[in-house]
Amino acid sequence: MSDSNTHYVYQEPAIEFVTVAVQLCLYLEQVAEHEKSDFIEKMLCLLPLLYIKAHLLPKGNEELDGYSERFVSEQEYEDLRLQIAQKLGTDDTYLEVFVEDMRYSDEPITAFISENIADIYQEIKDLACNYQTREEAVMNDALVTCLDAFEQHWGQKLLNVLRPLHALSLATDE
């Protein structure tokens, strides 16, 4: 076991990122208990914070040759997506402009807040579960995997979903 003060998984940026990830997971796992307006406001607080913490986290190096266990099942993903979709109703749908397919389309592309948030949840919940093993190499590779996924897809999904959530927040204030 390495010195806990120096290993990547125990450094302040990693701990801060994982802490926000866990907070978001816990909130989403209780999404049915919250009012729509509370859900929107909480997402507008936690999602930007998660983005900042992920963006500021230095990239680590794999220790186990790409192994990172997946914990979120298809059923858990779908249950969460449906709960969010039901909470938002017709407000779940928005027009997406920041996707590659938009370049080649004359038609608007529809996206779903619930699907994007469920995608983000899946990545950060897998990270949180791997962190619970308390095995440094597993934790390390889970961070590396999560940051790779952040760069490849969920970071952009997080940013994309903020726009419709912002509009919904303003619409509920009026």
Side-chain angles (χ1 to χ4, degrees):
M1 191 163 177
S2 69
D3 180 4
S4 65
N5 291 328
T6 59
H7 196 284
Y8 175 63
V9 301
Y10 299 115
Q11 291 176 3
E12 187 174 346
I15 295 299
E16 288 177 355
F17 172 65
V18 173
T19 299
V20 175
V22 168
Q23 287 176 331
L24 180 57
C25 288
L26 291 172
Y27 184 83
L28 290 172
E29 289 163 2
Q30 305 295 320
V31 72
E33 299 173 16
H34 303 286
E35 296 295 321
K36 178 179 174 178
S37 60
D38 293 337
F39 170 76
I40 292 166
E41 291 307 312
K42 193 70 163 182
M43 291 302 98
L44 286 172
C45 291
L46 287 175
L47 290 173
L49 187 56
L50 182 68
Y51 184 90
I52 289 168
K53 295 302 182 184
H55 184 72
L56 293 175
L57 186 59
K59 188 87 169 191
N61 297 311
E62 287 184 338
E63 294 180 6
L64 298 173
D65 297 323
Y67 172 78
S68 189
E69 189 171 346
R70 306 302 271 177
F71 289 88
V72 178
S73 70
E74 264 185 61
Q75 187 62 49
E76 290 169 313
Y77 172 95
E78 189 60 19
D79 288 346
L80 177 64
R81 188 195 67 72
L82 283 172
Q83 286 179 17
I84 296 170
Q86 288 171 348
K87 180 158 303 296
L88 295 174
T90 58
D91 291 329
D92 186 36
T93 306
Y94 67 99
L95 297 179
E96 186 53 82
V97 294
F98 290 107
V99 292
E100 186 65 28
D101 294 344
M102 189 64 195
R103 279 183 174 181
Y104 311 108
S105 176
D106 293 337
E107 298 294 318
I109 295 175
T110 303
F112 301 91
I113 294 170
S114 58
E115 186 176 323
N116 284 325
I117 291 177
D119 287 347
I120 294 164
Y121 171 82
Q122 185 173 32
E123 296 292 343
I124 63 173
K125 180 66 175 189
D126 287 342
L127 168 68
C129 290
N130 275 298
Y131 244 76
Q132 287 181 321
T133 67
R134 295 188 176 151
E135 295 178 33
E136 286 177 356
V138 171
M139 295 161 62
N140 179 82
D141 285 12
L143 263 177
V144 171
T145 299
C146 191
L147 280 181
D148 284 344
F150 170 76
E151 291 172 0
Q152 293 171 14
H153 66 90
W154 73 261
Q156 186 63 55
K157 289 179 181 189
L158 186 155
L159 293 172
N160 293 351
V161 82
L162 288 175
R163 187 173 33 88
L165 286 170
H166 175 72
L168 288 172
S169 173
L170 295 175
T172 58
D173 288 345
E174 295 173 358

